[in-house]
Amino acid sequence: MRQSRHLGKTLREVPKDAQTAAHALMVRGGYMQQLSAGVYNYLPLLYRTLNKISQIVREEMQAAGSEELLMPALQPRELWEESGRWERYTAVDGIMFSFKDRRGSVSCLGPTHEEVVTDILRREIKSYKDLPRNVFQIQTKFRDEIRPRFGLMRAREFIMKDAYSFDADEAGLEVSYEAMRQAYHKICQRIGFKYRAVEADSGAIGGTGSQEFMVLADTGEDTIIYCDHCDYAANQERAASRLAEHAQDAEPKPMEAVLGEGLIGVEPLAKFLNIPVWKTTKTLVFEADDRVVAVMVRGDCDVNEIKVTNHLGCKSLKLASAAKIKELTGAELGYAGPIGLPPSVRILADNYVNGRVNFECGANQTNYHNINVNFGRDLPLPEFGEFKIAKAGHTCPKCQGTLQSAMGIEVGHIFKLGTKYSKAMACVYLDAGGKSQPVVMGCYGIGVSRMAAAFVEQNHDDKGITWSPEIAPYQVHLVALNLEDETVRKQSEQLYAQLQQEGIDVLYDDRPLRAGEKFSDADLIGLPTRITVSKRTLEQQKVELKRRRDTAAELVAIAEAGAKVKELLGKNFR
RNA sequence: CGGAGCGUAGCUCAGCCUGGCUAGAGCACUUGGUUUGGGACCAAGACGUCGCAGGUUCAAAUCCUGUCGCUCCGACCA
């Protein structure tokens, strides 16, 4: 492509609404423009990259036995009611766009396609002989994000690849899931991500097991917990951990309520009471759907709301308001405890709350804290479970290693759905014994547009983007200087044609600008290699070849330029 | 959902508090000239319903009300 005809000018100024490096660079480089909050125009450069990512995804999905199709973005309400997700997606979480058409029927713009694909397959599948099936699509999805941010990272309209597998039984699902998992690793590797696959919570989609593919970046919105010793890695939402055990008092002491005025927070409280922080207890009061739940964790821990939500099986979970807490406990915020709560309040406690002798907890009376509390004597045993947030420094749940944390961008997510949708929507088949069985499903998503943003986040320097050849919009930036010189122009044009003939994607900067501007634009756009043609290089019958990620350049003969480029792109580029 | 901020040229912003005459700067753009391997210089020029609507006033970019749009912060404290 000739840059003189290229749509997508570079900007010198950083757009004011760009919060991350990737967002700023993609806007400055002429890759995208914002149309409205969380909605973007994908300009030619970005569209090329999106297509390259899509193509890699497509190839690996097909190699893994998945078949491509395309489903509608516009979906009828009825299907979502059938699966039971309509209310949650529209009213409870409100993340789905929905509207009434002129005939009065209600439609939505799909954030995902489990319902539609299940509907397709239930018409298709009659017998175990019709299984397994695996289909995917690359399509625009919609999410009514309350707060879109970071450009393509959290947009309201975005491009996604989603695949769905259909098997006769769990064993079949395992095979399908594993094939997809391998395909996802290949995709991440081909694109050139520094990433990590982690155990994940399956959230609103539902199901029994899932993994996320996380691109490591400080601007990521997810926290990853991983072991420094074994291969354990999980999203913090899901991660388990073990805590160091402490020596306990030999004898229980009498419980007493201690006046500790204005002591909010466990650190000052522990100091005031002269006890270690691990002896304190945080009791958080939540409203779970229409019930009230108190959750206890050790003072040096925090509550993992996802774990609590999953344990309760509730639709929504939120911290109770100060007023509600006062009504329930009789105390101001900060003094809630498990003793003396109304019987309607269900009490959960993290496993590590147990096993302590003479611990502290709130007294349900403003400014008072109970000390020397002991289960069994002062209160009945609550419902125990894993309810704390795993953090760096905790012990690995699988080995003796220490957990670490890192920030990540979720670019892929694979789920074992099981029979949640097939049962709800009667997607069934007859097995060999003539018995009706629900199909066992899996679903597998990749954020294509988010991958582009994540890649830039992970691959840039102070001058611009540093694409890998796999997904760069073009492979070579052919920069012609001194275009007023007839020889330079002629040679550049020839080289442009020659490179294209050799099958290389070329962006040809044929604009009559000064060298500085052209080099700066080239660095900003960030194509993996740059060829400079100028009077100076042509004096030696050569052109200059440089990799974007290197500082050094070399002079190569014009005829060999294409071969040299291929050589550079081909090996150890990263 | 709660809190905050912004909206003036294509972009980044000044002007607003303390109302006043043709509304400004830098970058980008057009023309001419000089320059020409890391965002040059000189000269001349084009570009605005000051988000929108209403109000106050002799007078509104500026004050008030409403509205739309965009952005940020918080969603974690017992």
Side-chain angles (χ1 to χ4, degrees), chain A residues 360-523:
Chain A
E360 174 281 344
C361 57
N364 291 328
Q365 186 182 350
T366 303
N367 294 331
Y368 281 88
H369 311 270
N370 285 330
I371 61 167
N372 299 327
V373 180
N374 289 282
F375 282 121
R377 183 191 70 183
D378 306 316
L379 71 165
L381 284 176
E383 223 175 307
F384 287 107
E386 165 111 19
F387 299 123
K388 70 179 188 307
I389 294 179
K391 288 183 181 165
H394 290 181
T395 302
C396 174
K398 289 193 170 165
C399 76
Q400 291 308 311
T402 303
L403 296 179
Q404 311 288 318
S405 72
M407 300 309 286
I409 299 164
E410 180 192 344
V411 296
H413 199 161
I414 57 178
F415 299 85
K416 291 177 193 167
L417 289 178
T419 55
K420 175 173 172 170
Y421 298 92
S422 53
K423 276 183 179 158
M425 298 179 62
C427 181
V428 297
Y429 69 96
L430 290 183
D431 65 17
K435 200 176 157 211
S436 180
Q437 302 281 3
V439 168
V440 183
M441 294 171 54
C443 80
Y444 316 92
I446 280 182
V448 172
S449 45
R450 180 183 277 187
M451 271 188 165
F455 190 89
V456 176
E457 201 57 57
Q458 208 173 55
N459 296 277
H460 67 268
D461 59 20
D462 55 343
K463 290 179 176 166
I465 302 172
T466 56
W467 289 113
S468 72
E470 290 282 354
I471 65 167
Y474 293 90
Q475 292 161 330
V476 180
H477 207 149
L478 176 60
V479 178
L481 306 180
N482 325 114
L483 275 167
E484 68 291 346
D485 182 293
E486 192 53 35
T487 318
V488 172
R489 173 166 287 279
K490 208 183 258 176
Q491 292 281 3
S492 302
E493 291 287 337
Q494 265 176 28
L495 184 52
Y496 175 48
Q498 178 191 323
L499 291 169
Q500 285 178 302
Q501 262 167 31
E502 292 183 54
I504 297 170
D505 293 335
V506 191
L507 181 62
Y508 172 31
D509 189 350
D510 59 340
R511 301 170 301 170
L513 299 179
R514 300 166 63 83
E517 290 178 75
K518 296 187 142 201
F519 288 149
S520 296
D521 274 356
D523 288 341

Side-chain angles (χ1 to χ4, degrees), chain A residues 26 76 104 130 137 192-193 223 243 271 294 299 314 388 496 505 570:
Chain A
M26 287 201 284
D130 296 326
Q137 64 173 348
F193 281 127
T223 302
L243 301 177
K271 194 169 274 179
C314 58
K388 70 179 188 307
Y496 175 48
D505 293 335

Side-chain angles (χ1 to χ4, degrees), chain A residues 255-459:
Chain A
M255 180 177 92
E256 56 178 310
V258 176
L259 175 65
E261 221 162 313
L263 287 168
I264 306 281
V266 293
E267 293 287 346
L269 176 64
K271 194 169 274 179
F272 173 79
L273 295 171
N274 197 26
I275 56 173
V277 172
W278 63 262
K279 274 201 173 186
T280 65
T281 309
K282 292 178 186 171
T283 306
L284 278 69
V285 181
F286 291 94
E287 293 186 57
D289 297 341
D290 44 13
R291 304 212 313 266
V292 176
V293 178
V295 183
M296 303 168 68
V297 289
R298 226 168 71 172
D300 53 343
C301 295
D302 292 295
V303 171
N304 182 327
E305 296 185 16
I306 306 269
K307 289 179 180 173
V308 173
T309 303
N310 289 343
H311 179 85
L312 295 172
C314 58
K315 283 180 183 156
S316 82
L317 183 79
K318 40 184 191 218
L319 282 165
S321 64
K324 185 84 180 171
I325 287 172
K326 177 129 199 207
E327 178 194 326
L328 287 161
T329 66
E332 297 296 329
L333 191 115
Y335 305 94
I339 302 174
L341 289 174
S344 61
V345 177
R346 185 167 166 186
I347 302 176
L348 305 184
D350 181 70
N351 293 323
Y352 282 90
V353 169
N354 202 1
R356 295 181 302 172
V357 177
N358 299 328
F359 62 88
E360 174 281 344
C361 57
N364 291 328
Q365 186 182 350
T366 303
N367 294 331
Y368 281 88
H369 311 270
N370 285 330
I371 61 167
N372 299 327
V373 180
N374 289 282
F375 282 121
R377 183 191 70 183
D378 306 316
L379 71 165
L381 284 176
E383 223 175 307
F384 287 107
E386 165 111 19
F387 299 123
K388 70 179 188 307
I389 294 179
K391 288 183 181 165
H394 290 181
T395 302
C396 174
K398 289 193 170 165
C399 76
Q400 291 308 311
T402 303
L403 296 179
Q404 311 288 318
S405 72
M407 300 309 286
I409 299 164
E410 180 192 344
V411 296
H413 199 161
I414 57 178
F415 299 85
K416 291 177 193 167
L417 289 178
T419 55
K420 175 173 172 170
Y421 298 92
S422 53
K423 276 183 179 158
M425 298 179 62
C427 181
V428 297
Y429 69 96
L430 290 183
D431 65 17
K435 200 176 157 211
S436 180
Q437 302 281 3
V439 168
V440 183
M441 294 171 54
C443 80
Y444 316 92
I446 280 182
V448 172
S449 45
R450 180 183 277 187
M451 271 188 165
F455 190 89
V456 176
E457 201 57 57
Q458 208 173 55
N459 296 277

